Amino acid sequence: MLEVRDIRKSFGDLEVLKGVDLKVDAGEVIAILGPSGSGKTTLLRCINFLETADGGTLHFDGETFDLAHVSKKDAARLRKKTGFVFQNYNLFRNKTALQNVMEGLVIARKVPKGEAEEKARAALEKVGLSDRCDYYPSQLSGGQQQRVAIARAMATDPEIIYFDEPTSALDPELTGEVLSVMRELAAEGMTMVVVTHEMGFARDVSNRVIFMENGVVVEEGNSKEFFQHPKEERTRAFLRLFDEEEFGEKE
């Protein structure tokens, strides 16, 4: 479905991605882990053309693109097949939850308003916010705002959704409601690539885990194997940072 080869990206003299490969099959949930500054978010942003990579190729839906020279037209066309959920929600503060979800449908995709509203209401219901359609972001908790953002991504019927640390801006008590929605999406077969520090989600929900550091992939593999039998010492050291009782082996 999606394959990226040798993706590279620098910001000035700082080389953030040093030739990363990524393959995602339809229906897979891929968790990308790693310390801050490892290149995880930059990888997602380059794949979705929010940043322009310096090199690499992207193969998606039978087409291959040079990431350093993809046209704006092609980038916009490919982006319409995907959804992106940001760390900090990126909601319009002056629009209601319903209007936020409708915006991309009406403006970017030219969906008639009546149909867009129907899709938006269905998406908000799916994330448990049918009673908050007319609320503004300032009237919603952080968890509710992120669920609106997920509804916005879902409403476009994407082939794949990218999540960039979707719970990092949330208080711990609000994290669960967002992860619950993501678990439901995964159970329904939505293809997802998730940059996260939520080890429980990565272990229990994802099919594969990719561990990055310093712009390269250190280790990747089946999620259960990754957590129970990490091959690289750097991976083992990273996992040791998390509470052994909560994230130890799970039968």
Side-chain angles (χ1 to χ4, degrees):
M1 178 185 186
L2 170 72
E3 185 170 6
V4 180
R5 304 286 295 178
D6 194 31
I7 186 168
R8 289 170 279 113
K9 177 65 177 178
S10 296
F11 295 100
D13 294 331
L14 179 62
E15 194 176 10
V16 179
L17 297 175
K18 304 174 183 178
V20 173
D21 297 341
L22 173 67
K23 184 177 180 181
V24 185
D25 292 327
E28 269 197 311
V29 178
I30 307 296
I32 302 179
L33 311 179
S36 296
S38 58
K40 308 181 302 295
T41 290
T42 301
L43 175 62
L44 276 196
R45 292 179 65 86
C46 286
I47 291 172
N48 205 41
F49 310 106
L50 297 172
E51 298 278 0
T52 301
D54 297 327
T57 58
L58 181 144
H59 184 79
F60 187 63
D61 273 358
E63 297 182 272
T64 300
F65 301 89
D66 178 347
L67 285 168
H69 301 99
V70 65
S71 70
K72 289 183 178 180
K73 182 178 179 180
D74 280 337
R77 179 170 60 84
L78 291 172
R79 202 180 290 132
K80 286 182 178 180
K81 298 181 179 184
T82 69
F84 200 104
V85 177
F86 297 86
Q87 294 182 32
N88 295 309
Y89 329 133
N90 278 27
L91 300 180
F92 294 106
R93 312 304 296 178
N94 63 338
K95 295 183 183 295
T96 65
L98 181 65
Q99 290 168 337
N100 265 285
V101 178
M102 288 178 61
E103 182 79 5
L105 293 169
V106 173
I107 302 300
R109 298 167 189 262
K110 310 301 181 187
V111 176
K113 283 190 176 181
E115 182 183 344
E117 180 174 345
E118 185 177 333
K119 284 178 174 288
R121 288 189 183 278
L124 286 166
E125 182 176 2
K126 194 170 183 65
V127 299
L129 291 175
S130 57
D131 60 341
R132 295 291 190 272
C133 287
D134 297 324
Y135 283 52
Y136 289 90
S138 62
Q139 299 172 302
L140 300 171
S141 70
Q144 290 171 332
Q145 290 183 64
Q146 191 61 295
R147 283 190 280 155
V148 171
I150 294 173
R152 177 179 59 192
M154 290 166 47
T156 62
D157 296 321
E159 295 182 31
I160 185 169
I161 301 181
Y162 303 111
F163 293 82
D164 181 19
E165 294 281 10
T167 61
S168 66
L170 301 178
D171 294 331
E173 62 267 25
L174 299 177
T175 295
E177 65 189 62
V178 173
L179 292 178
S180 177
V181 170
M182 294 172 64
R183 283 187 171 93
E184 289 178 17
L185 285 175
E188 292 170 3
M190 173 58 71
T191 308
M192 300 158 61
V193 179
V194 186
V195 169
T196 184
H197 283 111
E198 299 292 339
M199 296 296 108
F201 177 90
R203 183 194 62 199
D204 299 335
V205 181
S206 71
N207 305 104
R208 280 193 295 124
V209 174
I210 293 171
F211 174 59
M212 292 181 63
E213 186 174 49
N214 296 325
V216 300
V217 173
V218 175
E219 183 170 348
E220 68 173 293
N222 169 277
S223 298
K224 184 175 181 179
E225 284 295 310
F226 178 89
F227 281 96
Q228 292 190 355
H229 307 292
K231 296 180 176 65
E232 302 295 330
E233 175 53 37
R234 182 62 190 94
T235 309
R236 291 193 287 272
F238 178 80
L239 294 176
R240 279 197 294 270
L241 294 173
F242 298 92
D243 182 71
E244 186 175 342
E245 180 179 344
E246 184 173 1
F247 299 119
E249 291 191 11
K250 182 177 180 180
E251 298 299 333

